Amino acid sequence: MSKVSVIIPVYNKEEYVERCLNSLLNQTYTNFEAIIINDSSSDNSGKIIERIASENPTWNVYSFEENCGAAVARNFGVRQATGDFLYFLDADDYLAPYTLEVFVNHIGENPFLVGPISKPTTIVQDHYIADDEDSEDEQEQEESNDNQVNVYEYRGAKKKKALRRKAVINILWSHDFVKTHQLEFDEELIYYSDQSFTLGAIGVVESIAAIRVPTYIRGECYDPIDHPSLRQNPISAKIPDFLKAYQRFKVQFGKYDNHIDKYLDKDFLRFYHRSITNTIMKDNEYLTIWFEPLRKSAELIDTKTRLNSGYFTSREMKALLEKDESKLLQRIKIRQSYKRFKTALSGRQAMYKEIYRSLFLNRPVKENRIIFESFAGKSYSDNPRAIYEEMLQDDNSYEYIWIMNDPSKPIPGNAKKVKRLSLRYYYYLATSKYWVINARMPGYMIKRPETVYLQTWHGTPLKKLAHDMKEVRMPGTTTEKYKKNFYLEAQKWDYLVSPNDYSTEIFKRAFKFHKTMLDVGYPRNDVLYKKNNVENIDEIKKKIGLPTDKKVILYAPTWRDDEFYKKGQYKFDLKLDLEDMKKRLGEEYVLVLRMHYLIADSINTEGAEGFVYNLSSYDDIAELYLASDLLITDYSSVFFDYANLRRPILFFTYDIDKYRDTLRGFYFNFEEVAPGPILMESSEVIDTIENINQLKGVYEEKFEAFYERFCSLDNGTASRQIIKRVFKGEK
Ligand code: C2G
């Protein structure tokens, strides 16, 4: 039985390293030694490693006095290894239980065997069927084909495909092969040292063997802002290392292998286009810093490849060779303008964006112009609406702009209604002094230094927000992307409204927001204090079309991150039995259904006609709060606002375990804090409503504590206070 040496360098990975080591402990193949190199971590990684290793005699931990980097740590690991095979694993990644077994069983006579690097969302089987495992039942064999491991060979030109895989992880290496060819990591390199090892290997083999079963999961970085992984570092930090690597690899490997040489040139040109020139355009000073290494690199490119690299690129390479810095900059600019021009012609939105960037953003900012937008134009509602309507009370000379998906909708006052994503939308965004917005803006929106961005947000958080979420599982994004985009957005906010001290603390941390917090309560709740009387409520009911002689139940649940059609369009599976509800409560009540704005499903109300009012597209939920006698909700921030009315709240939380534990996580113990009953079945909800009068006494104490914690800032003056501070400059 061959022995594997698993080499794991660790530097400040306290949040990940336990998962990594546990996945090693769970290996079905047990003849391995773990070589863990603590590269002078300053966090708790060392302690975690020691604890786990102390229980496993074949695990060796080495601690460096000072931080030396992954290349040094791995080379050190290789020198300690006593196994027949070597395998590199990173501390923030982890393995399927069968990984080592699959590799050892399939490497055969190959000097190394390459496996794929999989995403954290990959479903890993808990076992695999070995090729030689004979199954008597043919049908079972058929079904298990998916789990079978095939070894693929890449030869000749196809070998290049393997070159694209730069990382050294998830490859089983014959130790003898590594020794014979003296493969090692270039300690001069920080980000690209893996390739010094892999290129050395690829250069000396005829063919490359690979398997495709998911074996190695690359963990996501939970904090790409303050604790980025190596890969997450800004591109400007990586560029000098890349250039250095290119120059070294050309001499070391390119000279001897034509495939590698060509690959390196192409890779350099791709990187030059994608990363180097874009970074230079953001800050021209980089050009001066990188000019010399860039020129040296250009000198190394194969002449034919350089001349065939396209009109723009070959001219830029020429300017480099001529040592003409300003000519190079000029040529990069010409290419980029051409590219922008081409992109602008690719579609209407692309054209608008280009006009926005090159024309509108150069127009003067209008001091008295204010933009309002609620839920990305979906409705005329929420905090922006409340602030706007309060401003209308004043006699002032502001020019109000409302961004809406449907500008034909009537709204009070003299605001200009502008269709979202129209050309005018871009114009007004570019030229308004103030933005009053309750959700995130598209990332391409540029906030000018003169613009004042008042972000009102849209709810007290129960479910974890932004950077407080460890992993983000939403369609169309990754944890890293989501958190980076969120960060860039929140950096643009000048003011952030907070409904209570509890939210203030969370917002600061979860949004990494350090500018002015307006902790004054929620503008959208002002109306709950101003209009909570019989006349106003009857007026609202009439406006909505609700009967005034019946009590109103409002059902307003939230959305589920994992139930969706596509980005921004979520499913909702109604678990309330409407027919039963109508039968038992219909005499006394009507039911208002109010789905979250991200829900795309239309709800089937068959069998409950006359009892159910679907007001999902009604603009402002605050009016529905006022019109209702009690609320049914789940994990929606709706209940924090509704509590201002001191009316009964029922929590219909049929999926609480999944929601709390696997989707988002909560900020507090929901069951303990909730100011009303937690119900799992539709029938329980109906039972509770039938006995609604008993509820008040039971929940009185909890309710008071809840009100004190979350509602005590609200008193009907939030909008007024915000206007004073943001628009009138008062303290
Ligand atoms: N909302 C609504 N109807 C619903 C649910 C929500 O009109 N059925 C409105 C409410 O104003 C609510 C807001 O949308 O406060 C936010 O909805 P949440 O369900 O709380 O969910 P989310 O949009 O994810 O925002 O910090 C708060 C969170 O970010 C929650």
Side-chain angles (χ1 to χ4, degrees):
M1 208 181 172
S2 315
K3 180 163 141 189
V4 183
S5 302
V6 182
I7 298 165
I8 315 157
V10 185
Y11 176 59
N12 288 351
K13 295 289 176 195
E14 60 182 5
E15 284 198 83
Y16 317 87
V17 69
E18 184 153 6
R19 177 182 64 185
C20 169
L21 299 183
N22 281 340
S23 78
L24 256 191
L25 282 175
N26 287 337
Q27 288 302 301
T28 51
Y29 189 86
T30 51
N31 191 19
F32 67 87
E33 60 174 359
I35 299 170
I36 306 169
I37 304 108
N38 179 4
D39 191 7
S40 195
S41 299
S42 54
D43 68 357
N44 275 318
S45 303
K47 280 194 198 130
I48 300 169
I49 299 166
E50 286 298 341
R51 173 168 52 77
I52 300 175
S54 65
E55 291 162 17
N56 295 283
T58 57
W59 291 31
N60 304 301
V61 180
Y62 303 90
S63 298
F64 285 180
E65 293 273 307
E66 50 186 273
N67 182 246
C68 299
V72 174
R74 281 171 170 166
N75 282 337
F76 176 86
V78 173
R79 288 197 293 274
Q80 310 310 311
T82 63
D84 308 290
F85 296 111
L86 307 180
Y87 182 88
F88 298 98
L89 168 61
D90 281 347
D92 39 7
D93 304 336
Y94 53 101
L95 306 178
Y98 48 75
T99 299
L100 294 183
E101 185 185 351
V102 168
F103 273 101
V104 174
N105 282 350
H106 292 87
I107 190 164
E109 294 303 310
N110 293 297
F112 57 96
L113 180 63
V114 181
I117 299 167
S118 306
K119 290 190 180 138
T121 43
T122 310
I123 298 172
V124 172
Q125 317 281 344
D126 50 12
H127 69 292
Y128 85 103
I129 308 291
D131 288 347
D132 54 359
E133 200 171 294
D134 36 37
S135 158
E136 289 185 1
D137 185 341
E138 261 182 38
Q139 203 185 341
E140 190 188 312
Q141 184 105 44
E142 284 271 289
E143 280 171 5
S144 57
N145 262 351
D146 276 358
N147 288 352
Q148 240 161 33
V149 181
N150 294 315
V151 178
Y152 301 85
E153 295 280 329
Y154 297 99
R155 293 184 174 276
K158 282 201 176 151
K159 227 172 71 173
K160 264 207 270 183
K161 217 173 154 185
L163 285 166
R164 269 188 249 139
R165 183 194 194 288
K166 295 181 176 169
V168 76
I169 46 178
N170 209 29
I171 300 176
L172 189 73
W173 301 91
S174 143
H175 198 168
D176 282 343
F177 174 76
V178 170
K179 274 189 202 149
T180 309
H181 298 284
Q182 296 174 348
L183 300 183
E184 57 179 10
F185 296 90
D186 188 335
E187 297 183 0
E188 293 280 305
L189 301 174
I190 305 163
Y191 301 98
Y192 298 93
S193 74
D194 276 37
Q195 269 188 296
S196 52
F197 197 98
T198 52
L199 290 174
I202 292 167
V204 296
V205 293
E206 282 296 309
S207 73
I208 294 167
I211 52 170
R212 293 182 188 162
V213 243
T215 33
Y216 188 103
I217 310 295
R218 179 174 253 161
E220 288 178 298
C221 173
Y222 303 141
D223 187 357
I225 309 304
D226 293 329
H227 298 104
S229 65
L230 264 195
R231 279 184 308 125
Q232 291 287 315
N233 275 314
I235 196 72
S236 56
K238 292 185 193 167
I239 288 171
D241 202 54
F242 180 89
L243 295 173
K244 196 192 224 175
Y246 172 69
Q247 291 164 24
R248 292 168 82 87
F249 297 162
K250 279 286 281 188
V251 179
Q252 233 180 317
F253 311 112
K255 253 193 191 160
Y256 307 104
D257 185 305
N258 197 25
H259 289 310
I260 293 184
D261 197 51
K262 272 213 174 112
Y263 161 79
L264 288 172
D265 286 348
K266 289 225 162 112
D267 195 45
F268 167 74
L269 288 172
R270 196 171 0 178
F271 192 76
Y272 170 80
H273 268 163
R274 270 207 210 138
S275 308
I276 301 182
T277 49
N278 284 340
T279 315
I280 287 174
M281 290 314 282
K282 279 189 199 127
D283 183 350
N284 288 177
E285 270 184 34
Y286 281 125
L287 182 58
T288 314
I289 304 170
W290 297 333
F291 190 80
E292 197 40 32
L294 260 175
R295 189 190 61 75
K296 273 197 189 143
S297 306
E299 273 181 352
L300 293 173
I301 304 180
D302 171 65
T303 317
K304 220 168 121 198
T305 310
R306 176 167 57 78
L307 294 176
N308 286 335
S309 62
Y311 172 73
F312 290 112
T313 313
S314 54
R315 272 165 35 107
E316 286 164 40
M317 291 300 127
K318 195 156 168 256
L320 267 173
L321 296 179
E322 288 166 3
K323 301 189 185 175
D324 193 334
E325 199 177 312
S326 60
K327 197 192 261 179
L328 174 64
L329 186 63
Q330 198 191 6
R331 290 182 173 178
I332 296 175
K333 278 187 181 155
I334 293 173
R335 172 166 55 88
Q336 297 247 338
S337 309
Y338 170 74
K339 221 171 81 188
R340 276 172 72 163
F341 178 72
K342 243 177 79 178
T343 312
L345 292 179
S346 70
R348 187 183 296 187
Q349 278 304 315
M351 174 71 82
Y352 289 173
K353 279 180 202 159
E354 187 49 42
I355 296 174
Y356 166 69
R357 276 193 296 257
S358 51
L359 277 176
F360 294 164
L361 286 173
N362 295 322
R363 306 280 305 156
V365 165
K366 283 268 217 153
E367 283 300 310
N368 66 338
R369 187 173 279 167
I370 311 174
I371 271 203
F372 296 90
E373 187 190 81
S374 182
F375 298 121
K378 286 199 180 116
S379 56
Y380 169 68
S381 66
D382 210 66
N383 293 322
R385 169 183 177 165
I387 295 170
Y388 167 68
E389 290 186 2
E390 188 68 31
M391 290 188 101
L392 286 181
Q393 307 292 315
D394 297 343
D395 178 26
N396 54 36
S397 56
Y398 286 116
E399 181 191 3
Y400 303 116
I401 315 287
W402 260 93
I403 306 295
M404 305 174 88
N405 290 344
D406 174 12
S408 68
K409 228 185 246 175
I411 64 169
N414 55 351
K416 266 198 194 108
K417 291 178 283 179
V418 170
K419 192 165 168 60
R420 193 163 182 275
L421 302 183
S422 65
L423 190 58
R424 287 170 76 222
Y425 162 79
Y426 290 100
Y427 172 73
Y428 284 113
L429 269 168
T431 57
S432 291
K433 163 92 175 180
Y434 299 98
W435 294 356
V436 183
I437 288 165
N438 76 343
R440 285 189 292 153
M441 296 279 274
Y444 52 79
M445 284 307 172
I446 295 167
K447 188 187 90 98
R448 300 167 69 170
E450 306 93 307
T451 313
V452 175
Y453 186 168
L454 165 59
Q455 171 59 244
T456 72
W457 203 240
H458 51 266
T460 294
L462 161 67
K463 41 192 184 183
K464 294 229 168 130
L465 275 179
H467 301 290
D468 278 348
M469 276 189 267
K470 197 167 165 184
E471 287 175 325
V472 180
R473 293 280 172 264
M474 289 179 204
T477 193
T478 64
T479 302
E480 289 154 5
K481 248 205 264 176
Y482 182 87
K483 290 186 179 177
K484 268 195 178 164
N485 289 342
F486 220 121
Y487 179 75
L488 293 175
E489 165 70 15
Q491 291 306 295
K492 297 179 189 165
W493 306 344
D494 295 299
Y495 294 95
L496 176 60
V497 181
S498 168
N500 39 49
D501 297 343
Y502 157 87
S503 299
T504 300
E505 195 192 315
I506 292 173
F507 286 170
K508 279 187 192 160
R509 185 188 58 239
F511 295 145
K512 298 190 192 280
F513 175 79
H514 307 296
K515 292 197 208 140
T516 311
M517 189 76 75
L518 300 167
D519 24 19
V520 296
Y522 257 175
R524 67 184 188 189
N525 291 342
D526 288 347
V527 66
L528 305 182
Y529 288 85
K530 290 182 176 164
K531 296 205 171 163
N532 188 7
N533 58 63
V534 182
E535 297 85 69
N536 278 138
I537 291 172
D538 275 353
E539 199 182 305
I540 291 170
K541 279 185 163 180
K542 276 184 200 139
K543 185 172 97 182
I544 301 173
L546 290 172
T548 44
D549 59 341
K550 288 218 171 146
K551 288 195 202 149
V552 176
I553 305 164
L554 171 63
Y555 179 43
T558 195
W559 56 292
R560 272 97 184 128
D561 306 46
D562 65 335
E563 295 173 29
F564 55 82
Y565 296 104
K566 61 177 189 188
K567 195 178 173 185
Q569 294 192 4
Y570 289 81
K571 296 181 188 178
F572 192 80
D573 184 12
L574 186 75
K575 297 267 200 272
L576 273 185
D577 184 340
L578 299 183
E579 240 181 292
D580 192 27
M581 261 187 132
K582 178 177 178 180
K583 212 163 30 181
R584 291 171 58 189
L585 303 169
E587 282 285 301
E588 200 180 344
Y589 291 96
V590 291
L591 175 70
V592 168
L593 285 186
R594 164 72 175 198
M595 292 305 126
H596 190 273
Y597 53 89
L598 292 176
I599 301 295
D601 273 326
S602 57
I603 304 296
N604 179 7
T605 56
E606 222 179 272
E609 293 83 358
F611 171 68
V612 175
Y613 291 74
N614 189 347
L615 294 173
S616 298
S617 49
Y618 190 75
D619 258 340
D620 205 346
I621 194 170
E623 292 179 19
L624 306 182
Y625 295 157
L626 280 167
S628 66
D629 295 275
L630 66 114
L631 169 74
I632 309 169
T633 186
D634 44 24
Y635 328 103
S636 177
S637 59
V638 153
F639 66 84
F640 295 105
D641 297 320
Y642 196 80
N644 279 292
L645 292 171
R646 295 180 174 279
R647 298 179 196 166
I649 305 175
L650 279 53
F651 296 89
F652 184 33
T653 50
Y654 47 86
D655 56 355
I656 188 160
D657 290 339
K658 176 188 90 170
Y659 198 95
R660 185 210 307 109
D661 303 334
T662 58
L663 287 189
R664 283 275 187 120
F666 290 159
Y667 281 115
F668 54 77
N669 185 330
F670 182 69
E671 284 99 326
E672 231 171 77
V673 175
I678 311 265
L679 309 164
M680 301 294 167
E681 302 283 338
S682 176
S683 58
E684 283 181 280
V685 174
I686 305 173
D687 294 344
T688 311
I689 298 177
E690 280 179 337
N691 301 298
I692 197 79
N693 291 334
Q694 292 168 15
L695 216 58
K696 202 166 184 258
V698 181
Y699 283 94
E700 198 158 337
E701 222 172 281
K702 264 194 171 180
F703 198 97
E704 282 315 312
F706 184 89
Y707 186 95
E708 186 51 38
R709 188 170 176 198
F710 300 109
C711 308
S712 58
L713 289 182
D714 281 329
N715 58 17
T717 65
S719 311
R720 185 59 31 206
Q721 293 183 60
I722 290 168
I723 293 166
K724 274 190 184 160
R725 288 184 57 183
V726 178
F727 298 93
K728 304 204 163 137
E730 291 175 28
K731 282 272 162 208

